[in-house]
Amino acid sequence: MKYWVWILSLYSSVGFAAEQSFSGIIDVRASYTDGITSYVDGGLGKFRYNPDGQLSLAQAGVSYDIDWDNPLSAHVVANAYWDGVEDNIGITEAYFKYKGLPWNNGLRLSGKLGVMYPEISMENIATAWSSPYTLTYSGINSWLGEEVRHIGAQLSLDYLGKFHDSRHDFTLSAEFFQNNDTTGAMLAWHGWTNSSRQTLWQEKLPLSELPSLDGGSLSSQAKESDPFLELDDRIGYHVKTQWRMQGLGRLEVGYYDNDADTRVVKQGQYAWLTQFVHMGTKWRLPYNMEVIAQYMKGDTLMQSPYGMNIVDNGFYSAFILLSHRWQKHRLSARFEDFSVTDDDLTFDDDNSEEGQAMTLSYSYQFSKGWFMQAEYNRIDSERAARVEQGYAKDLVEQQWQLASRYYF
């Protein structure tokens, strides 16, 4: 992070006035998990934490922003974790942003360039990509945080309704990117999760000890997946359209395709062709209520260098979240449904799963920036691969958390 900040500060000092700012989050938690070994630790557990209780630094995130006296700005985020599973510190986002002035017809161009998330999440809108609603992200946003990030360039065109006395705004955006060729590997081999951990840019992710990966048909796969690797020099894309009604909410639809060449493998890292459509809506309701709903459906393919299908999975996840805020209180409830469909013929690698998840979360604001939050998570899932590790195919996992979160 110091390297990025030094470059941006130097740039601001050689001819451009700039406003610099820091913000952050410190999230300390006591948790108890009733489940199996966490996916973060190479298991098939659906939660971030291993079984039993622990005290952890769930997130220490710092965001550095610099805004020049022109349409350019920059954004760098670093996160640190001390959770007894994978303690680490590093960059999670770093990009330049351009936001032009609107033209007389209400159109405006904007763009981004750097390390970034695709603009999909409607939950993770707070500092350092945290969520103000729940401690644990939905399955969709947990997967985005784990392995759906890249180096890319985004261009957006906004139509601003206020120039025409309208409350309706529209946005069309296109994003082109690299460094995401292994996206889909973790979703295939451990399935959907409910997490609160973002993979750091330099991290690699451990794979579970499945028969296919441990001496079986996929033994040439590296024991860790590098989620932000470029293997085939091809460019993926993400397109999205959004309609907003000022003061009320929005609706958006997008399509993501990493355009990976599935016959490329280097040092045990395979390129996965991952494509999905996503839809989402977020609305303010009467009595200080909010509703968020997101849906994702797609597929991911891994092949041998000779073009034979090895892993061919369809996947789906959807959730609805209701949140009510009053005075210093917020109560949120989220309900999810998810599945992975195994469509290949690899006999020792069954990635199929289905399940439902529920989250109940309550937070209280003690003072500016300081929140106490309690949360209960429950996942009821069916995954055949767990049997190979001595666990039940159908398993209920539960988690209780109490957090002190400070935003600065």
Side-chain angles (χ1 to χ4, degrees):
M1 180 180 178
K2 291 181 180 179
Y3 177 72
W4 278 89
V5 172
W6 181 81
I7 289 178
L8 297 176
S9 300
L10 179 64
Y11 182 71
S12 68
S13 67
V14 290
F16 296 98
E19 181 179 339
Q20 303 180 56
S21 63
F22 286 90
S23 58
I25 175 177
I26 299 174
D27 182 341
V28 178
R29 297 185 198 176
S31 61
Y32 181 83
T33 305
D34 178 13
I36 61 176
T37 303
S38 168
Y39 76 94
V40 179
D41 204 19
L44 293 177
K46 294 296 186 184
F47 293 125
R48 169 183 179 176
Y49 297 107
N50 278 325
D52 298 326
Q54 61 182 299
L55 181 68
S56 67
L57 176 63
Q59 182 180 13
V62 177
S63 174
Y64 170 69
D65 293 275
I66 180 167
D67 194 350
W68 289 282
D69 191 16
N70 56 39
L72 286 176
S73 61
H75 181 70
V76 179
V77 178
N79 275 292
Y81 309 107
W82 183 75
D83 54 17
V85 179
E86 184 64 31
D87 305 334
N88 215 332
I89 182 172
I91 295 290
T92 49
E93 298 176 80
Y95 57 81
F96 290 96
K97 185 175 182 178
Y98 169 85
K99 188 175 184 179
L101 294 174
W103 301 322
N104 292 333
N105 59 6
L107 295 178
R108 179 179 64 195
L109 279 175
S110 58
K112 292 180 181 179
L113 176 67
V115 177
M116 55 190 170
Y117 286 100
E119 291 186 352
I120 297 174
S121 179
M122 292 184 171
E123 286 183 301
N124 296 61
I125 58 173
T127 302
W129 212 73
S130 62
S131 169
Y133 305 103
T134 60
L135 299 175
T136 303
Y137 315 150
S138 66
I140 289 174
N141 292 297
S142 294
W143 182 48
L144 295 177
E146 183 179 24
E147 64 170 356
V148 188
R149 216 173 320 153
H150 44 245
I151 294 177
Q154 181 204 66
L155 184 65
S156 297
L157 178 65
D158 294 309
Y159 172 85
L160 304 177
K162 65 182 180 181
F163 282 77
H164 305 277
D165 297 320
S166 171
R167 296 178 66 185
H168 303 279
D169 298 338
F170 298 91
T171 299
L172 180 64
S173 63
E175 190 173 359
F176 302 94
F177 49 77
Q178 291 190 313
N179 293 83
N180 66 334
D181 286 335
T182 65
T183 298
M186 304 310 294
L187 184 58
W189 284 325
H190 65 51
W192 295 101
T193 66
N194 277 171
S195 182
S196 56
R197 194 182 193 283
Q198 304 167 55
T199 302
L200 307 176
W201 188 255
Q202 79 277 9
E203 284 187 306
K204 294 184 179 180
L205 305 174
L207 303 181
S208 192
E209 293 183 359
L210 300 170
S212 59
L213 299 169
D214 188 17
S217 58
L218 291 165
S219 57
S220 56
Q221 162 71 43
K223 300 305 180 184
E224 294 181 312
S225 178
D226 188 338
F228 312 124
L229 191 63
E230 183 55 42
L231 295 168
D232 58 10
D233 297 322
R234 292 165 67 164
I235 297 176
Y237 65 93
H238 174 226
V239 292
K240 188 181 78 171
T241 183
Q242 182 187 93
W243 164 63
R244 298 183 302 279
M245 192 168 181
Q246 288 295 332
L248 284 180
R250 69 185 193 264
L251 173 68
E252 59 186 42
V253 179
Y255 179 75
Y256 179 101
D257 185 343
N258 72 346
D259 195 35
D261 183 349
T262 53
R263 288 184 286 188
V264 174
V265 55
K266 297 178 181 178
Q267 297 181 340
Q269 301 287 342
Y270 287 77
W272 294 64
L273 176 61
T274 299
Q275 306 162 316
F276 59 83
V277 62
H278 64 90
M279 295 184 286
T281 188
K282 183 175 185 177
W283 291 92
R284 293 181 181 176
L285 303 177
Y287 306 106
N288 294 320
M289 293 283 293
E290 281 185 85
V291 60
I292 303 173
Q294 289 195 263
Y295 167 90
M296 178 183 287
K297 184 177 178 61
D299 52 74
T300 185
L301 175 67
M302 170 194 175
Q303 293 183 315
S304 73
Y306 308 103
M308 182 177 67
N309 288 3
I310 304 297
V311 180
D312 183 4
N313 292 333
F315 57 85
Y316 147 86
S317 185
F319 75 85
I320 183 168
L321 183 150
L322 295 170
S323 185
H324 175 47
R325 187 174 183 180
W326 72 103
Q327 298 177 353
K328 296 183 177 183
H329 311 268
R330 182 190 286 275
L331 181 64
S332 301
R334 185 180 60 228
F335 304 93
E336 305 180 60
D337 188 66
F338 58 87
S339 69
V340 175
T341 303
D342 192 321
D343 294 321
D344 59 69
L345 299 177
T346 304
F347 72 95
D348 59 351
D349 186 53
D350 188 351
N351 306 129
S352 60
E353 76 168 14
E354 60 180 346
Q356 293 77 40
M358 177 185 71
T359 294
L360 298 175
S361 192
Y362 166 78
S363 69
Y364 179 82
Q365 184 175 1
F366 278 100
S367 60
K368 183 180 179 180
W370 183 28
F371 301 82
M372 293 295 291
Q373 192 159 351
E375 184 168 297
Y376 169 70
N377 312 105
R378 184 182 191 273
I379 302 178
D380 184 353
S381 64
E382 184 178 293
R383 187 173 182 89
R386 284 196 288 249
V387 176
E388 301 293 340
Q389 296 185 357
Y391 300 111
K393 178 181 178 181
D394 193 347
L395 188 65
V396 174
E397 296 174 88
Q398 300 179 88
Q399 182 174 253
W400 295 262
Q401 300 178 88
L402 179 63
S404 173
R405 309 176 91 190
Y406 181 68
Y407 287 91
F408 58 90

